[in-house]
Amino acid sequence: MINDHINPQASSGGSDEAPKETSPFNRRSFLHSLGLGVTALSVLPGCSTGKKTTQAATAKPAIQGFEKTEETANAKKWVAVSSRKIRVGIIGYGLCKFGSAFGFQNHPNVEVVAVSDLFPDRCAELAKECKCSKTYPSIEELVKDDNIEAVFIATDAPSHAKHAIMALKHGKHVATAVPAVFGSLEDADALYEAVKSSGKKYMMFETSCFHEDLHAMRQIYNAGGLGKLIYSEGEYYHYMDDPLPSYKEWRVGLPPQYYPTHSNAYYVGVTGGSFTEVSCQGMPSIIKQMQPGNNRYNNIFGSEIAMFRTSEGGTSRMAVSWDTPGDHGERGRIRGQKGSFYGKYEGLEKNLPDLVRPALPPGVESGGHGGSHGRLTDEFITAILQDRHPLVNIAMALNLTVSGIVAHQSAVKNGETLKIPQYKLWNV
């Protein structure tokens, strides 16, 4: 059904926050960010790099995760797999201006043919940033455009699954911001079936999967240099004492393990495996937005620490925290039967594989989140052109996300061990 654009906040999405807030910064978060290092890898939930549009904004320090990373010299040269251009639609341009942050508009195999946001001013700005003249007032209208082959969905997190399913049913390949689904195991099953029945490509843009260290871990693991992983740990720390503006206030009181993919990638993104069961502990938070009755989730936890059993029989500790000031970031470490990776490889394998990340297409910047943005876009577009599953395909996306949903359920049950649904690819 087409959204009611007279009252955009009653709509199904297309932007990640309500328009009443004029700045994504509050005084406390601004003062806190003054001390951030340029190598920080964390990000506001649902946010990514975006071009600042006012002089005042450019004077402020970058939001965590928005810093451009100085890359290791890369002698690799990008090689096009096709001369064809994929016709792409971009949906959503909210607080973090996600729609233009991943460089679709600069990729040599992409033509951005249309964009959409519920709010006309944002839609116009998104069109300008994406060098596109065609706009739609809602995702419902955009997905009806038969000229569009693929979409990138950067709407509010609670709408990702619904919007992805909608696009798949209209015959589009789908890339979406994280998480794949939001707090609903039923939505996870519905999205899985929608991707499987559509025959289209689906990719979740999990930035940790193209961090320099995680890419190296994956290459070494696939080459046998780690063996089975005995232990792995991932962390996503981001202090948020005040809630950020968000569409229908979805960020207020957000259960940490509803946003687990940045940390969980330090096992699932390395091995392609999954978590099979979890015991998770949370501690009641002193932050106002996590007090009883102060959020839509009835959530009292600002930090949730999950202990997972892995599909290899190992153990993972995955932490997400909003309410602990201090050191921040996304990072992970792994220990295997044949070697470990704590910032570098130490182990039995003497002939390591190529650990350098893929080259970027000409004109496409690496972007934020440790230089992952451009590589995620290139992986999605190349997967379409090569007719293959992308790296963070539907199975990996759901194994990254659903484990967090069940972890939060465990925390609510005082750490009760719970089984986690499993997702696998077909035709592989």
Side-chain angles (χ1 to χ4, degrees):
M1 186 169 71
I2 298 173
N3 293 329
D4 178 0
H5 304 296
I6 297 176
N7 180 13
Q9 293 189 57
S11 164
S12 62
S15 180
D16 70 354
E17 92 275 13
K20 62 182 180 181
E21 184 74 35
T22 59
S23 172
F25 297 90
N26 56 61
R27 183 175 182 273
R28 275 181 284 179
S29 63
F30 172 67
L31 292 175
H32 171 67
S33 66
L34 288 176
L36 300 182
V38 295
T39 58
L41 295 175
S42 68
V43 64
L44 305 176
C47 295
S48 185
T49 56
K51 188 174 291 184
K52 305 274 193 309
T53 57
T54 68
Q55 187 173 6
T58 58
K60 293 179 180 178
I63 299 174
Q64 292 176 226
F66 285 32
E67 308 87 356
K68 288 186 178 180
T69 302
E70 184 176 343
E71 293 207 18
T72 304
N74 190 343
K76 291 182 177 178
K77 182 179 179 180
W78 181 81
V79 178
V81 300
S82 170
S83 61
R84 191 165 82 83
K85 288 182 179 287
I86 304 297
R87 300 184 300 277
V88 174
I90 307 291
I91 305 153
Y93 202 60
L95 174 67
C96 303
K97 304 187 184 305
F98 243 170
S100 65
F102 288 84
F104 280 93
Q105 62 272 19
N106 298 319
H107 196 289
N109 288 118
V110 170
E111 178 189 1
V112 177
V113 297
V115 303
S116 175
D117 191 279
L118 292 177
F119 307 113
D121 58 335
R122 294 178 185 165
C123 194
E125 185 181 348
L126 178 58
K128 180 180 179 181
E129 291 294 313
C130 290
K131 308 167 189 175
C132 169
S133 60
K134 193 169 189 178
T135 64
Y136 287 101
S138 71
I139 182 175
E140 288 88 344
E141 291 293 323
L142 184 144
V143 295
K144 294 175 184 177
D145 188 335
D146 293 333
N147 191 44
I148 296 173
E149 299 175 81
V151 297
F152 175 53
I153 295 172
T155 57
D156 57 299
S159 297
H160 287 172
K162 174 178 64 176
H163 289 163
I165 291 170
M166 184 188 305
L168 289 162
K169 288 183 176 178
H170 281 83
K172 317 301 184 192
H173 303 290
V174 170
T176 177
V178 301
V181 298
F182 194 79
S184 170
L185 300 180
E186 293 77 14
D187 282 356
D189 289 342
L191 178 59
Y192 180 84
E193 291 302 324
V195 175
K196 185 176 181 180
S197 63
S198 72
K200 298 298 179 180
K201 311 305 176 194
Y202 172 94
M203 182 170 167
M204 184 181 74
F205 274 29
E206 174 41 57
T207 55
S208 290
C209 286
F210 274 108
H211 284 177
E212 191 169 27
D213 63 345
L214 199 153
H215 175 79
M217 292 175 188
R218 184 168 58 247
Q219 296 298 97
I220 298 170
Y221 179 88
N222 289 337
L226 292 163
K228 290 184 178 180
L229 296 193
I230 303 300
Y231 177 71
S232 50
E233 55 189 14
E235 298 160 346
Y236 176 28
Y237 299 134
H238 188 107
Y239 184 56
M240 291 189 292
D241 52 343
D242 285 341
L244 292 160
S246 52
Y247 185 75
K248 298 182 179 179
E249 297 191 326
W250 72 264
R251 289 190 182 97
V252 177
L254 172 67
Q257 288 287 346
Y258 274 19
Y259 212 87
T261 62
H262 293 333
S263 48
N264 286 354
Y266 278 91
Y267 176 76
V268 178
V270 173
T271 67
S274 61
F275 302 127
T276 59
E277 60 183 26
V278 61
S279 173
C280 182
Q281 295 289 341
M283 181 176 178
S285 181
I286 63 173
I287 299 297
K288 181 179 179 181
Q289 61 177 303
M290 275 81 178
Q291 298 303 303
N294 285 357
N295 62 74
R296 64 197 279 187
Y297 311 104
N298 196 29
N299 173 47
I300 62 172
F301 301 132
S303 297
E304 293 179 323
I305 314 300
M307 293 296 294
F308 291 105
R309 178 67 68 184
T310 74
S311 53
E312 293 175 300
T315 300
S316 286
R317 176 189 66 82
M318 298 296 175
V320 186
S321 175
W322 311 142
D323 64 346
T324 52
D327 181 50
H328 63 267
E330 306 161 8
R331 77 285 303 259
R333 295 154 292 276
I334 57 177
R335 302 189 71 87
Q337 295 170 325
K338 296 182 179 180
S340 301
F341 199 107
Y342 279 53
K344 63 180 181 178
Y345 175 74
E346 295 180 281
L348 305 179
E349 181 59 53
K350 304 305 180 186
N351 298 310
L352 294 179
D354 178 10
L355 303 183
V356 178
R357 288 183 292 181
L360 289 160
V364 176
E365 295 185 356
S366 57
H369 290 82
S372 64
H373 289 184
R375 291 180 170 92
L376 288 163
T377 294
D378 187 49
E379 169 64 11
F380 175 58
I381 295 301
T382 302
I384 296 173
L385 293 171
Q386 293 181 329
D387 191 24
R388 61 170 174 82
H389 291 291
L391 173 63
V392 194
N393 52 65
I394 184 60
M396 183 180 286
L398 292 177
N399 288 330
L400 282 164
T401 306
V402 167
S403 48
I405 298 171
V406 179
H408 177 65
Q409 294 174 351
S410 171
V412 171
K413 296 180 179 181
N414 199 30
E416 179 181 337
T417 298
L418 301 176
K419 298 291 184 183
I420 299 170
Q422 302 293 295
Y423 297 91
K424 296 183 181 299
L425 283 179
W426 51 93
N427 298 330
V428 293

